[in-house]
Structures are given as C-alpha cells and as structure tokens.
Amino acid sequence: MLRFAEEVMLLLLDDEGERFLRVPDWSLRYALGGAVLMDLAMEDRIDTDLKQLMLVDSTPLEDDILDPTLAEIAQDTAMHGSDAHDSRFWVERAAARSDEIREAAIERLIGRGILERREDRFLWVFRSRRYPVVDGSAEREVKLRIMELLFSDMIPTPRDVVIICLADACGIFAELLSRRELQHVTPRIQDLRQLDLIGQAVTAAVWDIEVSLAQVIRPHFV
C-alpha cells in the first residue's frame, strides 16, 4: 500500500504523467507534513482531538518517511508528558522535513516501478528531472477514486478522506478541475474534510500560512 505522501505526489502528476503540477511550495510542504501525521494515525501510533495530538505507540515502523516524526513526537512526549502539542504544531514540525519526504516518496514510486527517472537538458546547461509513469495504474487508481467520490454520494473510506484533505490543503483540486467543476464539488469537499481531525488541522495550517503570506506581501498605503 502506498503511503499518503506517495499518493499526493501521484495526484500532482500532469495528464501526460511526466511532470509534477506546480503548486505553492509552502502549501505542498504542509500537505506532505500532514501526510506523515495521517499515516502515523492510520498506523495507530498517534491520536488527536481538537486540542492536542497524543502519542499512542512509539514503536518504530521501519519507515524512513514516518519514523523521524514519530521519534520526535515520542521524545517530546517523554519530556513534557501530558502537556502535549496540538496537530497544527506537529504539522509544522513534520513540514520542516518536506524535502526529504518528497524525495523519499518519489524514490519509492520509482522503486515500485510506477515512475521512472529521466534527465532532460535545456540549453545544454540547466537540467530538469522528469518522472514519466511506467505503470500508470497507481496514478489512475488514486485520481479516479477521488474524482468519483467528489462527484457522487459514495461513502468514502478513511484513506479517501485523508487524500481529499491533503489535496484540498495544497490546492491540487484547483489544478485538476475546471473552475466550474471546483465550484460544484466545493461543498462536498468541505463536508468530507470535517470527517478527519488531522485533516482539519492540516487545512487550517495551510490557510493560516496563506493568510500570513498575503499580509506580508500586501502593499502598504500611506
């Protein structure tokens, strides 16, 4: 089974399956950080409520995407006990590792034979990595599954809710859907997003950062 970070990267592939869609760097970072927390929750390593994120089991998963964050949560819990941090705090901490998470997810997709790596040269100087799909079934499966859920009344699985939260958090749906389609499914996305507490925290974290950035770059008038 793919980790959520791997599925996020597959959702970001363009229709030709060769390049990743461009989304704001900061939003992707938070989405990948949230993906790690959601996988840890699915593995019964953490739990959460509206106020805090709690360690359930510190046993490593032998997974280089998940174990560093799990170890950090375990260390923090050992130091502070019941004075735990909330999901937003840990989304931000996990997002600090987003470059590692992204590269590890891509390498796993290559190792599974889903993607292959090629090097393209531009002007004989600049290189741009491409990741054409070798076995497109995984990409089609996750995209078709999510699109079918958004445009129907089907009951989602917990994994589906997680992917929808992550995709919404980093603006993937705005790239995958037309403006009219996005307007049509927005109420559905909002309903599904309420089903997962960590998903809510991820989305709220991304929105908070977006607001903060907008305030920084907003022109000041005298």
Side-chain angles (χ1 to χ4, degrees):
M1 181 178 296
L2 300 180
R3 291 298 187 191
F4 289 127
E6 295 172 72
E7 293 204 284
V8 167
M9 298 313 301
L10 287 178
L11 279 176
L12 283 171
L13 279 174
D14 63 16
D15 291 338
E16 287 72 38
E18 293 192 351
R19 299 181 186 276
F20 293 113
L21 300 174
R22 295 183 66 85
V23 297
D25 178 70
W26 51 265
S27 62
L28 179 57
R29 287 178 180 275
Y30 277 70
L32 291 175
V36 169
L37 294 184
M38 290 172 172
D39 263 318
L40 289 175
M42 287 288 183
E43 293 284 357
D44 294 321
R45 293 305 193 269
I46 62 173
D47 197 3
T48 186
D49 58 26
L50 292 176
K51 294 184 178 180
Q52 63 183 22
L53 183 146
M54 299 151 286
L55 179 69
V56 174
D57 183 355
S58 62
T59 305
L61 292 158
E62 305 301 324
D63 186 306
D64 61 348
I65 290 180
L66 305 184
D67 282 346
T69 298
L70 176 60
E72 193 172 1
I73 294 172
Q75 182 180 21
D76 185 79
T77 301
M79 292 177 60
H80 300 102
S82 59
D83 188 20
H85 293 99
D86 60 13
S87 299
R88 163 68 187 272
F89 174 88
W90 287 112
V91 168
E92 292 180 327
R93 293 297 289 268
R97 296 182 47 251
S98 61
D99 289 342
E100 301 170 36
I101 296 167
R102 178 182 181 276
E103 289 305 312
I106 290 172
E107 289 300 327
R108 289 188 185 189
L109 292 170
I110 293 171
R112 294 175 188 272
I114 296 172
L115 300 183
E116 65 177 7
R117 189 195 304 269
R118 295 177 187 169
E119 296 283 352
D120 284 348
R121 288 180 179 240
F122 293 96
L123 303 178
W124 301 103
V125 177
F126 300 103
R127 290 189 176 187
S128 175
R129 286 182 177 173
R130 299 170 61 194
Y131 302 93
V133 172
V134 177
D135 175 6
S137 60
E139 180 200 6
R140 288 195 300 271
E141 195 274 336
V142 65
K143 284 188 177 179
L144 289 177
R145 189 177 86 228
I146 298 307
M147 292 301 112
E148 187 175 15
L149 280 169
L150 293 184
F151 288 94
S152 73
D153 295 325
M154 292 176 58
I155 299 174
T157 67
R159 288 192 63 85
D160 294 331
V161 173
V162 167
I163 291 297
I164 289 169
C165 288
L166 292 171
D168 181 51
C170 71
I172 293 177
F173 291 134
E175 299 292 337
L176 296 179
L177 303 172
S178 69
R179 181 177 299 181
R180 178 175 296 182
E181 289 172 332
L182 185 58
Q183 289 176 342
H184 177 73
V185 300
T186 293
R188 172 73 164 162
I189 293 172
Q190 292 173 344
D191 289 342
L192 295 176
R193 203 174 55 222
Q194 301 305 311
L195 300 178
D196 187 273
L197 289 175
I198 296 183
Q200 293 179 44
V202 174
T203 305
V206 173
W207 286 348
D208 286 349
I209 295 298
E210 183 177 16
V211 170
S212 299
L213 289 175
Q215 291 174 341
V216 169
I217 65 176
R218 181 182 300 162
H220 294 280
F221 297 95
V222 178

